[in-house]
Amino acid sequence: MSLPEIRKLVPEDYASALALLCHLNPGISEEVLKQRFETILAEHGHYHAFGAFLDGKLAALAGVWIATKVWCGKYLELDNLVVDPELRSSGLGSALIRHLEELARAEDCNLVVLDSYTSNHSSHRLYHRLGFEIRGFHFVKPLGPLDR
């Protein structure tokens, strides 16, 4: 496989990004995911979406939040990392993460953080292999259905 082109997404990429987000969130309708993605892009200036492209086709996606927290200072959070199911275990996810780690360094971030579903064991192996460690738990308390 050739090296991917990794770059920030532009509006022409959003339909392909939505298709990947549907793979990551099969229990949520495409309409809801589209609305959420558009809202994030429109309302949160510290959010950016990046993609890994093979031969011009979006093959992997990650959202990036750059912000500051009291406990760690400036950080970059990876969000919604997803690789096309037909291309998983091809190195695309690793390449995208490494690229975004370099962005974090360039932005003078102290940490790169991410969440992963507890049942997604293959992602855990990837993150450990790339030097991530488990530092805590992400607790959630649903206040209603997540598919609206």
Side-chain angles (χ1 to χ4, degrees), residues 22-77:
C22 287
H23 286 295
L24 187 63
N25 301 280
I28 302 173
S29 74
E30 182 175 343
E31 178 183 318
V32 169
L33 291 173
K34 182 178 189 285
Q35 182 271 325
R36 289 177 181 175
F37 188 58
E38 289 173 351
T39 299
I40 291 169
L41 290 166
E43 295 181 3
H44 300 279
H46 61 290
Y47 177 87
H48 308 282
F50 284 82
F53 293 79
L54 290 176
D55 300 321
K57 181 183 179 223
L58 182 62
L61 165 75
V64 170
W65 301 88
I66 297 176
T68 301
K69 290 189 179 191
V70 171
W71 75 271
C72 66
K74 193 172 183 182
Y75 69 98
L76 182 146
E77 180 176 353

Side-chain angles (χ1 to χ4, degrees), residues 64-78 97 100-114 131-136:
V64 170
W65 301 88
I66 297 176
T68 301
K69 290 189 179 191
V70 171
W71 75 271
C72 66
K74 193 172 183 182
Y75 69 98
L76 182 146
E77 180 176 353
L78 295 174
I97 291 169
L100 296 172
E101 284 177 5
E102 289 305 313
L103 173 65
R105 287 183 181 90
E107 292 289 329
D108 203 30
C109 294
N110 295 324
L111 291 174
V112 175
V113 301
L114 58 85
F132 288 83
E133 55 189 60
I134 299 170
R135 287 265 184 108

